[in-house]
């Protein structure tokens, strides 16, 4: 953790390192070395960052680099500070409810509150150590490098509130050398898949954990895995579709366009391209019967038959209720399954994983009703006792709703049975309350709830939860799209979709019964009549 | 109409083999039979009754066959009116009980058919009633609901949240059940001729032996000798 460590002390340490050991190259590189760095971007860009005086370095910290960036890109930080990447705070355009990572609950670690330095390692800035407050409002606290580094060496340390390592550090079992910030600064270019992926592929604390359709297999995917991003095909980056306007991205789970009636973006480019229709239009199929589906079925539903297809398993269940078990020697228990995945962790409870998972299908009009950390759960818990953390709005009667695919995440997480709220679990921190150090849940919850400033009855129960992650990446090549019968059959993929008549899936059972009976009895009647004819004819001819 | 006579009276002129189903009628009949078979097979395939066709194949086959059948029906309707053949379908309720009695009992005991074909009246009372039912009820229920079903994408916007599509599917499926029930009865009835295959042969060759009045024989021999089998 960086909190309380003066930057200057670190810098001194770094210099000492540079002179003592095999240099992590923190001093400024010679002009020849810099010239050799010529970034690839220089080929197409009008600016060659290796030629900028301001980027010669050396830089002692991330914020110092940002200051250098801002000498030319004067508005960059102000733009970033308007974005959800910075704020983690947004207003739902449809419900008006205030959402964002600092408020909404998920079925993974629950809430970033009281766990900041860990969770804010994915903040687009530096030093956000208290998520009860907005991020530190200094332009130099914006992290340019996380998104723009092209060396691949710049990594935010998981536990340092967004900072990279400034000295060699142990992360997990590996020693991580500090990146050469000046070299990184000179390498900058448009964000690539690794940049976005550093956070978005690792959401929930590890590769593939959260989304199911976003994991490290998308860094160098084949087109079989992702027809857009495949390095052997279109080779697109995330930002090819998630276009940015003044550092604000297009496409958001908090404001999904379930259907894009604007259609093709070009030739009138609004630089807002995060829907399939932006490039493919509303009637993309050569077979017109297929185009008849686009008003009610999202493209993703047929074109992403399965997610987690890249060989990395995604978490499908996280049961906190079993967390905290220790063995006879008092050591926390960790158990791996046959594939090497943790299936039990004393820190987190039971897990289940899935690869090549068939999505769950739901009507969805783009509005997600998300449970916030301070929301009362009355009226939200279904009769079967399950709480859906993000209710998907829309049904067959809603013209804006389409049938979408989702990763269904199952959870079991702590809640207050008396006050009927979810509970903030203080999992991470170098104090004596953090669950991952002390395995004492009441203590961790007490700390978490007090930190969040929320009331707690003192009781802990576990509630079963569901969370729905829209599936929209890992689009398969068209020959792998679903065929009709996957849905147009009695027990097909859309068996659970209500409010529409689906030929092949639906029928009126009593009409069928009546119809088959009428047909069957007719045949029986005919058989009887025919037999009688035969018998009588024999008789009459026999009589002759 | 009064040309249809009950059991042949003694002393009537002998029957003659006459072309009673013109080439167009036979073409129309058999292509309709084929199309209805295809439509039944594909329709009940996509309905989920059997799984012998992939869904998309069933839909494409059904749609194509349906459009062809509609065209055939449209043209045949036109033909019926221009040729006056539509009159064949006017039901003759007075003769009905006798025909029903025949099929229920008389046919078993070897009684003669109460109707005999004449040139102007090719069908018996029950037959014409059944065909009328087919042509004004089952057929139109199928093609009209089928067309509405087919054009669903054009009206789906207005039908969101209504029972529009289920209602159409209901009518269509119900009519389809009536259709297949009609077809099996119809096929069975074709076995009730002089021999089991007599009627089928007639519908293939077009010729049947029909009682002709002396005037008719004279007229045919004079004007339409090609209709008389030599
Ligand atoms: C005459 C013109 C006809 C038209 C225009 C027509 C059209 C259609 C259409 C558009 C469908 C829905 C297919 C889809 O899902 O895309 C359908 C279904 C069906 N058709 Fe037809 N059809 C016709 C005749 C017939 C006939 C003659 C039969 C059988 C006797 C038949 C039996 C069925 C059945 C059983 C279904 C499935 C209904 C359901 O499960 O919803 N159809 N037809």
């Amino acid at each position: 953790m960086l909190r309380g460590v003066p930057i200057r002390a670190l810098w001194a340490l770094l210099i000492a390192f540079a002179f003592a050991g095999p240099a992590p190259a923190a001093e400024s590189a010679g002009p020849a070395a810099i010239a050799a760095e010529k970034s690839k971007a220089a080929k197409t860009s009008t600016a060659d960052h290796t030629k900028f005086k301001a980027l010669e370095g050396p830089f002692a910290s991330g914020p110092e680099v940002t200051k250098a960036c801002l000498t030319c890109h004067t508005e960059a930080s102000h733009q970033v500070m308007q974005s959800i990447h910075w704020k983690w705070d947004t207003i739902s355009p449809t419900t008006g409810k205030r959402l964002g990572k600092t408020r909404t609950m998920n079925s993974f670690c629950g809430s970033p509150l009281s766990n900041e330095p860990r969770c804010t390692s994915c903040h687009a800035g530096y030093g956000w150590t208290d998520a009860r407050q907005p991020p530190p409002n200094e332009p130099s606290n914006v992290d340019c490098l996380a998104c723009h580094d092209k060396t691949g060496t710049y990594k935010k340390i998981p536990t340092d509130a967004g900072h990279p390592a400034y000295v060699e550090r142990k992360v997990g079992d590996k020693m991580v050398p500090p990146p050469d910030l000046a070299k990184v600064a000179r390498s900058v270019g448009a964000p690539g898949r690794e940049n976005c992926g550093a956070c978005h592929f690792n959401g929930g604390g590890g590769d593939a954990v959260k989304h199911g359709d976003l994991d490290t297999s998308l860094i160098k995917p084949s087109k079989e895995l992702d027809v857009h991003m495949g390095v052997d095909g279109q080779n697109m980056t995330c930002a090819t579709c998630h276009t940015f306007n003044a550092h604000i991205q297009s496409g958001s789970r908090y404001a999904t366009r379930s259907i894009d009636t604007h259609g093709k973006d070009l030739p009138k480019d609004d630089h807002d391209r995060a829907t399939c229709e932006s490039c493919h239009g509303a009637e993309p199929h050569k077979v017109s019967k297929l185009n008849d589906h686009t008003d009610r079925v999202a493209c993703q539903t047929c074109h992403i038959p399965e997610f987690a297809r890249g060989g990395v398993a995604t978490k499908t269940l996280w049961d906190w209720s079993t967390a905290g078990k220790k063995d006879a020697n008092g050591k926390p228990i960790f158990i791996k399954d046959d594939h090497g995945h943790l299936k039990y962790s004393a820190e987190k409870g039971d897990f289940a994983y899935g690869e090549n998972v068939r999505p769950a299908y739901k009507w969805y009009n783009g509005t997600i009703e998300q449970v916030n950390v301070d929301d009362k759960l009355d009226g939200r818990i279904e009769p079967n006792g399950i709480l859906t953390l993000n209710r998907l709005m829309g049904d067959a009667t809603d013209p804006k709703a389409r049938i979408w695919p989702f990763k269904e995440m199952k959870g079991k997480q702590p809640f207050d049975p008396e006050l009927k709220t979810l509970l903030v679990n203080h999992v991470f921190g170098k104090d004596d309350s953090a669950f991952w150090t002390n395995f004492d849940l009441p203590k961790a919850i007490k700390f978490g709830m007090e930190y969040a400033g929320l009331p707690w009855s003192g009781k802990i129960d576990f509630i079963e939860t569901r969370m729905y992650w829209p599936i929209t990446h890992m689009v398969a090549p068209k020959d792998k799209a679903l065929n009709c019968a996957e849905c147009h059959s009695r027990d097909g993929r859309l068996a659970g979709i209500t409010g529409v008549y689906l030929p092949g899936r639906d029928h009126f059972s009593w009409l069928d019964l009546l119809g088959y009976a009428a047909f069957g009895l007719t045949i029986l009647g005919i058989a009887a009549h025919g037999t009688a004819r035969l018998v009588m004819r024999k008789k009459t001819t026999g009589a002759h | 109409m009064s040309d249809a006579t009950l059991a042949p009276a003694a002393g009537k002129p002998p029957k003659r083999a006459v072309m009673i189903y013109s080439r167009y009628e036979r073409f129309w009949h058999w292509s309709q039979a084929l199309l209805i078979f295809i439509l039944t097979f594909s329709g009940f395939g996509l309905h989920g009754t059997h799984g012998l066709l992939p869904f998309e194949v069933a839909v494409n086959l059904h749609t194509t066959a349906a459009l062809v059948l509609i065209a055939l029906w449209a043209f045949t309707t036109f033909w019926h009116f221009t040729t006056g053949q539509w009159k064949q379908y006017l039901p003759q309720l007075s003769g009905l009980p006798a025909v029903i009695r025949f099929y229920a009992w008389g046919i078993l005991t070897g009684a003669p058919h109460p109707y005999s074909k004449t040139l102007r009246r090719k069908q018996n009372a029950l037959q014409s009633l059944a065909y009328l039912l087919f042509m004004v009820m089952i057929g139109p229920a199928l093609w009209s609901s089928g067309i509405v079903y087919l054009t669903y994408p054009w009206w789906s916007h207005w039908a969101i949240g209504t029972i529009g599509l289920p209602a159409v599917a209901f009518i269509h499926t119900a009519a389809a059940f009536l259709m297949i029930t009609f077809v099996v009865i119809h096929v069975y009835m074709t076995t009730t001729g002089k021999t089991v295959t007599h009627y089928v042969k007639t519908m293939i060759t077009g010729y049947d032996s029909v009682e002709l009045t002396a005037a008719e024989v004279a007229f045919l021999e004079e004007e339409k000798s090609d209709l008389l089998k030599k």
Side-chain angles (χ1 to χ4, degrees):
Chain A
M1 231 182 21
L2 200 82
R3 195 156 35 161
V5 182
I7 297 283
R8 261 171 215 295
L10 268 178
W11 179 225
L13 209 86
L14 213 70
I15 302 276
F17 249 89
F19 283 95
E27 63 193 301
S28 96
I34 293 180
E37 285 171 14
K38 273 204 177 291
S39 65
K40 275 187 207 142
K43 276 189 201 145
T44 50
S45 170
T46 53
D48 181 350
H49 285 83
T50 63
K51 290 185 179 160
F52 289 133
K53 266 263 167 308
L55 299 183
E56 274 174 15
F59 299 108
S61 69
E64 274 190 29
V65 176
T66 301
K67 276 185 196 147
C69 302
L70 295 177
T71 56
C72 291
H73 300 278
T74 56
E75 303 313 305
S77 280
H78 301 298
Q79 293 178 349
V80 171
M81 286 160 116
Q82 298 305 311
S83 74
I84 198 166
H85 280 140
W86 174 264
K87 288 180 162 177
W88 290 16
D89 183 357
T90 187
I91 308 267
S92 161
T94 46
T95 66
K97 184 167 172 175
R98 199 159 169 192
L99 303 171
K101 252 172 133 55
T102 55
R103 288 180 176 71
T104 58
M105 295 296 282
N106 70 25
S107 42
F108 299 86
C109 282
S111 167
L113 296 177
S114 81
N115 306 306
E116 285 88 346
R118 169 85 230 213
C119 305
T120 55
S121 66
C122 269
H123 180 240
Y126 300 113
W128 192 12
T129 51
D130 183 352
R132 293 169 299 186
Q133 313 293 331
N137 198 20
E138 269 297 309
S140 61
N141 277 329
V142 168
D143 183 349
C144 309
L145 299 178
C147 307
H148 295 286
D149 163 45
K150 295 273 90 184
T151 65
T153 60
Y154 181 85
K155 299 210 161 57
K156 285 156 146 326
I157 287 284
T159 54
D160 277 5
H163 284 278
Y166 297 124
V167 292
E168 194 169 33
R169 287 273 300 268
K170 198 167 175 185
V171 176
D173 312 326
K174 269 189 282 177
M175 291 305 286
V176 176
D180 178 345
L181 290 177
K183 201 168 169 182
V184 170
R186 288 190 295 265
S187 79
V188 293
R193 296 184 282 236
E194 304 84 350
N195 299 97
C196 309
C199 290
H200 292 283
F201 296 164
N202 293 295
D207 192 2
V209 168
K210 243 185 209 171
H211 286 270
D213 61 342
L214 291 175
D215 61 47
T216 53
S217 68
L218 290 177
I219 290 177
K220 274 206 180 83
S222 63
K223 66 177 176 212
E224 199 63 27
L225 172 59
D226 189 304
V227 76
H228 300 107
M229 296 172 82
V231 289
D232 49 347
Q234 301 293 315
N235 204 11
M236 293 178 181
T237 66
C238 311
T240 310
C241 302
H242 291 278
T243 42
F244 281 69
N245 292 295
H247 280 104
I248 310 273
Q249 96 293 348
S250 54
S252 167
R253 244 180 334 114
Y254 293 123
T256 311
R257 259 166 306 165
S258 58
I259 181 164
D260 180 359
T261 44
H262 174 86
K264 276 188 191 153
D265 241 26
L266 299 169
K268 249 201 199 155
D269 192 355
D270 58 1
H271 217 248
D272 180 2
R273 212 164 293 152
T275 63
C276 309
E277 294 94 324
S278 301
C279 295
H280 296 283
E283 298 189 332
H285 307 96
K286 289 202 191 88
V287 179
S288 69
K289 190 77 225 161
L290 296 177
N291 289 331
D292 294 342
H293 291 72
T294 58
D295 55 341
R296 310 265 46 202
V297 182
C299 315
Q300 290 87 339
T301 295
C302 301
H303 290 277
I304 311 175
E306 287 168 345
F307 59 85
R309 291 193 292 116
V312 193
T314 186
K315 223 159 255 183
T316 53
L317 172 131
W318 185 329
D319 179 356
W320 275 101
S321 70
T322 56
K325 286 184 200 156
K326 293 183 179 171
D327 65 13
N329 305 325
K331 284 187 91 182
I333 298 173
F334 296 89
I335 307 168
K336 288 193 171 173
D337 66 13
D338 300 342
H339 302 279
H341 300 126
L342 262 185
K343 76 175 183 198
Y344 178 77
S345 151
E347 291 179 352
K348 299 169 181 172
D350 278 303
F351 292 141
Y353 301 83
E355 269 187 67
N356 306 314
V357 185
R358 172 191 279 208
Y361 299 95
K362 308 236 169 228
W363 285 109
Y364 180 43
N365 66 10
T367 298
I368 290 189
E369 238 205 29
Q370 201 107 20
V371 174
N372 277 354
V373 61
D374 56 350
D375 277 339
K376 287 271 178 204
L377 304 180
D378 300 292
R380 290 175 182 270
I381 303 170
E382 286 143 47
N384 55 9
I386 293 175
L387 169 71
T388 299
L389 293 178
N390 61 340
R391 280 220 316 263
L392 307 164
M393 306 313 276
D395 57 27
T397 61
D398 180 348
K400 270 172 116 179
R402 292 202 286 181
I403 297 164
W404 270 72
F406 295 89
K407 169 187 165 180
E408 182 179 65
M409 175 70 193
K410 294 188 169 133
K412 208 166 187 188
Q413 45 200 111
F415 96 116
D416 184 334
E418 216 150 90
L419 299 181
K420 296 267 169 21
T421 62
L422 289 168
L423 293 170
V424 174
N425 192 355
H426 174 48
V427 292
F428 176 85
K430 296 210 162 55
D431 52 66
D432 67 353
S433 300
F435 187 72
W436 290 347
T437 7
N438 281 292
F439 301 98
D440 181 343
L441 191 64
K443 207 168 169 186
I445 300 265
K446 184 169 189 302
F447 185 101
M449 292 304 276
E450 274 171 14
Y451 183 94
L454 294 169
W456 176 43
S457 72
K459 296 207 171 90
I460 302 173
D461 205 344
F462 290 90
I463 186 163
E464 220 183 296
T465 59
R466 296 284 183 277
M467 203 171 175
Y468 295 96
W469 294 81
I471 294 297
T472 188
H473 309 102
M474 295 189 179
V475 175
K478 64 179 170 194
D479 57 300
K480 294 276 156 44
L482 295 188
N483 63 39
C484 313
E486 292 278 345
C487 303
H488 289 279
S489 53
R490 291 280 185 266
D491 294 308
R493 291 186 183 235
L494 297 187
I497 291 289
T498 53
V500 275
Y501 182 88
L502 227 68
R505 181 195 74 165
D506 294 320
H507 58 144
F508 303 87
S509 22
W510 62 268
L511 174 68
D512 273 18
L513 199 71
L514 215 69
Y516 295 137
F519 184 71
L521 288 176
T522 305
I523 293 206
L524 275 180
I526 285 171
H529 193 269
T531 316
R533 260 169 72 202
L534 260 164
V535 172
M536 297 299 275
R537 179 168 334 146
K538 280 222 180 89
K539 261 193 193 160
T540 41
T541 44
H544 275 260
Chain B
M1 300 195 108
S2 56
D3 337 297
T5 43
L6 289 176
K12 277 244 163 189
K15 290 183 178 180
R16 293 284 300 266
V18 190
M19 163 82 78
I20 61 157
Y21 296 122
S22 68
R23 192 176 299 169
Y24 180 75
E25 270 175 303
R26 282 175 282 141
F27 160 76
W28 159 61
H29 173 270
W30 289 113
S31 46
Q32 169 175 271
L34 178 69
L35 287 166
I36 287 176
F37 176 79
I38 293 173
L39 284 163
T40 303
F41 186 61
S42 57
F44 282 96
L46 69 91
H47 183 65
T49 304
H50 65 80
L52 301 172
L53 292 174
F55 190 85
E56 53 267 54
V57 175
V59 168
N60 288 337
L61 200 61
H62 198 76
T63 309
T64 315
L67 295 178
V68 176
L69 182 60
I70 287 173
L72 181 72
W73 277 349
F75 193 78
T76 302
T77 306
F78 173 74
W79 177 88
H80 270 110
F81 284 101
T82 52
T83 58
Q85 288 292 327
W86 62 275
K87 293 189 192 121
Q88 301 283 351
Y89 301 96
L90 288 180
Q92 262 202 320
L93 298 178
S94 60
L96 208 52
V99 180
I100 292 176
R101 238 180 291 121
F102 167 76
Y103 283 117
W105 184 247
I107 191 171
L108 304 180
T109 56
H113 200 293
Y115 257 81
S116 82
K117 251 185 205 136
T118 69
L119 197 54
R120 289 211 248 153
R121 192 69 192 180
K122 304 172 191 171
Q123 299 154 1
N124 67 51
L126 188 63
Q127 228 180 342
S128 55
L129 188 69
Y131 294 169
L132 190 71
L133 190 76
F134 175 86
M135 291 180 77
V136 304
M137 230 193 78
I138 303 176
L142 267 172
W143 63 251
S144 59
S145 63
I147 288 172
V148 180
Y149 209 150
L150 201 60
T151 53
Y152 171 66
W154 300 351
W155 51 273
S156 59
H157 303 285
W158 294 288
I160 284 178
T162 72
I163 59 151
L165 185 61
V168 171
F170 182 92
I171 296 171
H172 196 71
T173 313
F177 276 120
L178 288 179
M179 170 71 95
I180 57 173
T181 306
F182 171 89
V183 167
V184 288
I185 297 176
H186 173 71
V187 170
Y188 176 66
M189 295 303 261
T190 65
T191 67
T192 60
K194 267 192 297 222
T195 65
V196 167
T197 54
H198 174 78
Y199 288 145
V200 175
K201 277 192 191 134
T202 305
M203 194 40 105
I204 293 171
T205 62
Y207 287 104
D208 196 4
S209 50
V210 176
E211 276 170 20
L212 296 178
T213 59
E216 277 170 345
V217 173
F219 168 76
L220 287 173
E221 277 174 349
E222 192 68 26
E223 301 280 333
K224 295 252 161 103
S225 60
D226 52 327
L227 292 184
L228 286 172
K229 208 170 188 173
K230 306 279 143 43

